[in-house]
Amino acid sequence: MDSQHVTLDSLPYIDKEYDDPATREHVLGLIQEEMAQMSPPLMPKSAHIFKSNDTLRKEYERVRSGHSLPPFDTTRYNISAPTSDTASAWQQASNNAASQLEHQTTRIDNLELLQNFGAQAWKLSNHQKEQLLSSIENRTQKLREEGVHVNKARKYEQTEAGVRLSELEERWSDGNNGIDANMPTAVQPKAEPQLPAAKRFTISADQAGQKLRPFLIHTFHNVLVRADTIALLRQKRVLVNDQIVLDTHVLQLDDCVQVDIDALHSIKSRLRGLQVEVKYTEPGLVVLSKAPGINKRTVEWAAAAIEVARDTYEGVVPECDALVPWIAVNEVEKGMGMLVILVNSSERHMDMLEHVNKGRVVFTICAVCHGKVDDSVFAQTSMADLAEQTRELTVNDTSASSDHGLWFKYNHLRPDIFSFISAKVTSVTPSSTVGHLSLVQASILYTTSPSLVLRRFMFELDHPIAGSQNHTRPLTNHKDKGTLQAFVSAEFPSLATNSIVTVSEDVPPKLLNVCAREAKFFDRRKEQARAEMEKLSASDSALDLDLTKCVPAAYVSGRKEFCGFVFHVTTDTLIPRPSTETLVDATVEFVNKRTDCKTDINIMDLGTGSGCILLSVLLRTTNTRGIGIDISTPALSVAHSNNNHHKLTHRAEFVHASFETFTIDPHVVSRGPFDFIACNPPYVSSTRASRMRASIENEPMLALVADNGGYQAYRDIHTALAADARVLARDGCIAFEIGKGMENGVRSIFGDWVEVNAVRDTQGVLRVLVFQQVMQGTN
């Protein structure tokens, strides 16, 4: 073979001929020629790689230079020895070792979770730890707030004590100075009430420009009622710069306003503006009945004001704000009507507290409670068991975070306080929202906080009082209106005669009205439910419904009218709402506008549930077909049943898919593209769902509640369409039902789409948003 005439276009395969020196030299030449023609590998300069990340740039330089990975640094896990033989050094070393071991234990736990159960278990473990940490932080914050509250209460008590002491010292000094040494004490003349001098004000820059009348009303709003302030102007008892002026006079800077105000009159005027009533009085003690909305400080002032306003009062009449408040024996809660026992000295206060601690003071409270309470719940054995369980929890649980221990300790209550409650049920009212409401009357001993004790007691019995405070449960028709409990009697020993005094009053109309209203709503709801089921031709057994079980009539009968058609519903599907008919109307409106279509308009019902939206659209139109999609198999079964009932199986079918995957599901894609997607996703936030518990507890949470404040489903659908929009026709639209006030959030999520319609429901609430995607090219 002549090597000079060999033509190669790639590396030759040569056996023995390669041993020939001429051949080997020729092959090597070809290789060198081929290598010269190849472009060298393009390696970017390090200066242009990872300019903004030092760590990645250093790692790139290490790989580029061929250096191996540095050895793993374990020094951070070393347990260092004490730096000296002092106790503090050993303690620091011990703490450091414990910290290092705890860190290593955590790493081992995480690795075991990842290795044995996978990443999802590790994420779940971290989530639980984060929830625990959040709970501890919230509890810590609450304890801080309670500490601040205690400190403020102590500061208030100390301030009040200082004011009282100064007042007593001043009275003592005035009394000594007023004694005439030459006149026998027995014939001292009776002192007439003395009034302070007129009030004078110099108008500041902030007050300049105001009219006189508004200025006086604002200045004396804590002293005089509005009518009495206006009376001062009419009686010419207000001077500006020593002149009588009109009430419309505009005040100027540095004007001198002089008000001739009667201190006793101002006290009586302010008392008339307070809803307090004297129920019992004796020297140094008074029982007042206060209305909701009046706080402790106002009640204590009112007791002192009532004493000064008496015709028998002797001495100097202080100004309205200078009255020394009396002391409330029992705790005063602003949000409820109650009886308050007040005394005028710390000695009497201590005497009354001694009576409380010996069980001689009895407070009786009535309250509206959730559920059907039976008197057997209050049996002595049951109450004794509850008190014993509470006592054991309080005594044995030394943890600072113990709910029982902290509650009893913070409120200064004895652990067996529940055994000193005597309760009975006075009435039971049916309720369509909570089943039943019970009016309970309870007498409580050994405490100055009876309402607090009763709330916790009924909470432990799983019949919480209706209200919005701790250890209560809101009533749907009575939210944010205080707690439904009130004092009806107080029994205590008289400090003057030591005889037993009983002060009583009627059950407040507010509590009775709530029960009456619930009964009225219940009867009305029952009649409506019966009428609806009769209209739907429900069975006799369905007509005999019990709304106290809080099961909606639609679930009892298994039927619900929607858009003029009757659909089968179960607890696996939502009950169709009238507001959702707005979504059907929007879909039908879209169909009616597409009169130029030569083929049937293809509709998708995303999150179909019972199928009522899709089937209603098909029943109201003739040129449509479609599919319903849901992630719930039981719900799809109900939709199939409705499809068969309305004889639409040739135009509608139902497919199992989710919001995240419906755009790539082969069963869905094969039936597309769709001209219109109607979607009623879950949009109730978890926070709102907790407040709506009674009204939605029978319905599937999967179809109601969504994460991220109710917006998660909208985000999932937008993400799915953004990833693959083949299921939607080029000029197709998607319509969403939204909750009240959610329009801006949904518009933000679909900000890259064009909003083509917004529809309000029959209540005027914006209920449906319709979007069209801006797409390039064709499907």
Side-chain angles (χ1 to χ4, degrees):
M1 178 179 180
D2 188 359
S3 61
Q4 299 298 324
H5 299 284
V6 175
T7 302
L8 299 174
D9 60 355
S10 62
L11 296 180
Y13 175 78
I14 302 173
D15 291 326
K16 294 181 180 180
E17 296 171 343
Y18 185 72
D19 295 334
D20 180 54
T23 302
R24 183 184 302 111
E25 182 178 357
H26 182 68
V27 169
L28 292 176
L30 291 174
I31 292 174
Q32 293 296 331
E33 183 180 350
E34 183 74 18
M35 292 295 292
Q37 294 177 357
M38 291 180 62
S39 302
L42 297 176
M43 294 293 290
K45 296 181 180 180
S46 59
H48 300 289
I49 296 297
F50 308 124
K51 291 189 294 184
S52 60
N53 193 310
D54 291 339
T55 303
L56 290 177
R57 186 170 64 254
K58 291 178 180 178
E59 180 64 14
Y60 172 77
E61 293 294 342
R62 182 192 66 76
V63 174
R64 193 167 182 269
S65 60
H67 295 159
S68 60
L69 281 169
F72 185 68
D73 184 11
T74 60
T75 56
R76 59 180 295 186
Y77 303 109
N78 293 339
I79 299 177
S80 57
T83 55
S84 63
D85 288 336
T86 62
S88 60
W90 277 95
Q91 182 63 45
Q92 183 178 359
S94 175
N95 294 340
N96 179 61
S99 176
Q100 296 288 354
L101 292 174
E102 181 66 24
H103 180 70
Q104 292 184 25
T105 302
T106 302
R107 287 177 58 83
I108 292 172
D109 291 343
N110 289 336
L111 290 173
E112 288 180 347
L113 280 173
L114 286 169
Q115 183 175 3
N116 298 333
F117 303 102
Q120 204 62 29
W122 174 70
K123 291 180 180 178
L124 178 61
S125 174
N126 285 346
H127 177 70
Q128 291 174 342
K129 291 176 181 178
E130 289 173 356
Q131 292 295 321
L132 178 61
L133 177 61
S134 176
S135 175
I136 293 173
E137 290 175 345
N138 291 338
R139 189 60 184 167
T140 303
Q141 180 62 27
K142 186 175 181 181
L143 289 175
R144 289 197 188 101
E145 292 174 356
E146 290 174 351
V148 171
H149 174 72
V150 171
N151 290 333
K152 286 183 177 179
R154 290 176 59 189
K155 181 180 179 181
Y156 170 74
E157 292 172 358
Q158 292 169 358
T159 303
E160 291 296 314
V163 171
R164 289 171 185 158
L165 180 60
S166 300
E167 179 68 20
L168 291 174
E169 290 176 347
E170 190 174 322
R171 288 184 181 181
W172 175 261
S173 177
D174 292 343
N176 287 337
N177 294 335
I179 296 178
D180 188 348
N182 298 320
M183 182 182 294
T185 305
V187 295
Q188 284 282 349
K190 179 179 178 180
E192 295 293 334
Q194 301 176 22
L195 305 178
K199 289 182 175 289
R200 293 178 180 272
F201 302 93
T202 300
I203 301 302
S204 64
D206 295 336
Q207 297 167 335
Q210 295 186 37
K211 292 183 179 180
L212 179 60
R213 180 174 172 177
F215 168 77
L216 293 176
I217 292 174
H218 175 74
T219 304
F220 292 101
H221 73 281
N222 285 330
V223 179
L224 298 174
V225 296
R226 184 186 184 97
D228 289 337
T229 305
I230 296 174
L232 288 175
L233 292 166
R234 292 175 179 173
Q235 295 166 8
K236 313 301 183 184
R237 297 169 62 183
V238 180
L239 302 177
V240 177
N241 300 326
D242 297 325
Q243 294 180 357
I244 298 175
V245 297
L246 296 175
D247 57 356
T248 57
H249 175 78
V250 179
L251 299 174
Q252 304 299 325
L253 181 64
D254 295 330
D255 276 354
C256 179
V257 179
Q258 179 177 328
V259 183
D260 182 11
I261 182 171
D262 185 311
L264 182 59
H265 178 74
S266 66
I267 290 174
K268 290 182 178 180
S269 174
R270 184 177 176 188
L271 275 176
R272 285 197 300 271
L274 297 178
Q275 291 180 296
V276 294
E277 180 184 357
V278 179
K279 306 296 290 187
Y280 172 81
T281 183
E282 66 178 49
L285 183 147
V286 66
V287 179
L288 298 181
S289 173
K290 82 166 192 72
I294 300 176
N295 59 24
K296 178 180 179 180
R297 190 165 187 175
T298 302
V299 173
E300 291 178 331
W301 177 91
I306 289 170
E307 177 69 14
V308 172
R310 295 182 188 279
D311 295 335
T312 57
Y313 180 75
E314 300 178 0
V316 177
V317 177
E319 292 188 11
C320 195
D321 293 334
L323 281 175
V324 178
W326 284 30
I327 306 171
V329 175
N330 54 305
E331 289 300 319
V332 178
E333 296 193 25
K334 181 179 179 180
M336 64 179 290
M338 60 190 306
L339 296 171
V340 185
I341 304 174
L342 300 111
V343 293
N344 68 347
S345 68
S346 57
E347 292 80 5
R348 288 189 172 90
H349 186 226
M350 295 301 297
D351 291 341
M352 286 301 299
L353 291 181
E354 183 179 355
H355 288 312
V356 171
N357 293 331
K358 291 183 178 180
R360 298 173 184 168
V361 179
V362 183
F363 294 102
T364 303
I365 300 175
C366 65
V368 177
C369 303
H370 285 259
K372 189 175 184 179
V373 185
D374 190 85
D375 282 330
S376 60
V377 175
F378 302 130
Q380 291 298 322
T381 53
S382 300
M383 295 175 69
D385 292 341
L386 178 61
E388 181 62 22
Q389 294 172 9
T390 305
R391 189 193 66 80
E392 290 179 357
L393 284 170
T394 306
V395 173
N396 297 333
D397 194 342
T398 58
S399 172
S401 61
S402 167
D403 180 51
H404 279 83
L406 181 64
W407 187 79
F408 279 88
K409 182 178 179 181
Y410 177 74
N411 294 296
H412 307 290
L413 297 170
R414 50 191 299 169
D416 58 348
I417 187 67
F418 292 159
S419 62
F420 299 103
I421 299 177
S422 175
K424 64 178 181 179
V425 180
T426 59
S427 67
V428 177
T429 303
S431 170
S432 57
T433 56
V434 296
H436 291 88
L437 289 177
S438 300
L439 190 62
V440 174
Q441 186 167 302
S443 299
I444 307 165
L445 304 173
Y446 294 102
T447 180
T448 58
S449 304
S451 57
L452 179 74
V453 172
L454 182 60
R455 285 201 300 272
R456 184 60 183 259
F457 174 67
M458 295 307 301
F459 180 83
E460 295 292 341
L461 293 178
D462 199 26
H463 291 288
I465 296 172
S468 53
Q469 293 178 286
N470 288 337
H471 302 113
T472 64
R473 183 182 298 165
L475 189 60
T476 305
N477 299 325
H478 201 273
K479 291 181 179 178
D480 303 323
K481 294 183 180 178
T483 301
L484 297 181
Q485 60 177 350
F487 282 59
V488 293
S489 74
E491 185 178 300
F492 57 92
S494 168
L495 296 180
T497 64
N498 207 32
S499 60
I500 299 299
V501 176
T502 302
V503 179
S504 303
E505 59 181 357
D506 297 332
V507 177
K510 175 182 177 181
L511 273 61
L512 300 177
N513 291 340
V514 168
C515 295
R517 185 177 58 184
E518 282 295 311
K520 180 179 178 181
F521 287 163
F522 176 83
D523 293 338
R524 183 187 302 171
R525 179 79 177 275
K526 188 171 183 178
E527 289 302 318
Q528 291 174 347
R530 289 181 63 86
E532 181 179 350
M533 288 191 291
E534 288 175 357
K535 181 179 179 181
L536 299 175
S537 302
S539 63
D540 293 339
S541 59
L543 289 174
D544 189 21
L545 77 164
D546 183 4
L547 290 182
T548 60
K549 296 180 181 179
C550 299
V551 178
Y555 286 151
V556 176
S557 65
R559 301 178 183 181
K560 181 65 177 178
E561 183 177 351
F562 179 76
C563 288
F565 309 105
V566 177
F567 295 94
H568 174 54
V569 293
T570 70
T571 53
D572 295 312
T573 65
L574 290 180
I575 298 174
R577 269 72 165 174
S579 58
T580 304
E581 295 183 3
T582 310
L583 181 59
V584 174
D585 294 340
T587 307
V588 172
E589 179 184 353
F590 174 86
V591 172
N592 292 336
K593 290 181 179 179
R594 300 290 293 271
T595 55
D596 57 335
C597 287
K598 298 180 180 179
T599 59
D600 287 345
I601 296 176
N602 204 4
I603 306 293
M604 177 194 293
D605 181 6
L606 186 55
T608 189
S610 64
C612 62
I613 295 175
L614 174 64
L615 298 178
S616 295
V617 172
L618 299 187
L619 288 168
R620 291 175 57 179
T621 57
T622 57
N623 58 333
T624 52
R625 58 184 173 86
I627 68 170
I629 296 174
D630 206 290
I631 196 173
S632 170
T633 302
L636 289 174
S637 177
V638 176
H640 283 297
S641 173
N642 286 318
N643 197 17
N644 293 329
H645 174 73
H646 290 287
K647 297 180 174 54
L648 291 171
T649 53
H650 61 294
R651 295 172 59 193
E653 56 182 318
F654 296 93
V655 178
H656 184 278
S658 67
F659 291 148
E660 296 88 347
T661 62
F662 78 97
T663 58
I664 58 175
D665 188 285
H667 298 289
V668 178
V669 175
S670 64
R671 291 161 176 79
F674 296 91
D675 301 292
F676 196 88
I677 299 177
C679 180
N680 180 17
Y683 56 72
V684 178
S685 66
S686 56
T687 303
R688 186 179 172 210
S690 65
R691 298 197 300 265
M692 299 169 59
R693 183 180 63 174
S695 61
I696 63 173
E697 61 182 353
N698 294 286
E699 301 190 76
M701 292 296 103
L702 182 64
L704 275 173
V705 183
D707 294 334
N708 290 330
Y711 292 99
Q712 187 59 47
Y714 300 101
R715 296 181 187 278
D716 292 340
I717 295 169
H718 179 269
T719 302
L721 289 171
D724 194 335
R726 289 177 299 167
V727 296
L728 193 62
R730 186 185 180 200
D731 56 349
C733 296
I734 183 168
F736 290 106
E737 178 173 323
I738 62 173
K740 184 178 181 180
M742 296 182 68
E743 57 269 18
N744 291 335
V746 176
R747 283 167 174 161
S748 175
I749 295 171
F750 280 81
D752 52 343
W753 291 54
V754 178
E755 181 180 330
V756 295
N757 198 6
V759 188
R760 296 185 179 272
D761 60 18
T762 56
Q763 304 298 319
V765 177
L766 186 57
R767 187 61 64 185
V768 174
L769 292 177
V770 184
F771 298 97
Q772 187 174 42
Q773 189 176 26
V774 180
M775 302 181 65
Q776 301 295 330
T778 60
N779 288 327

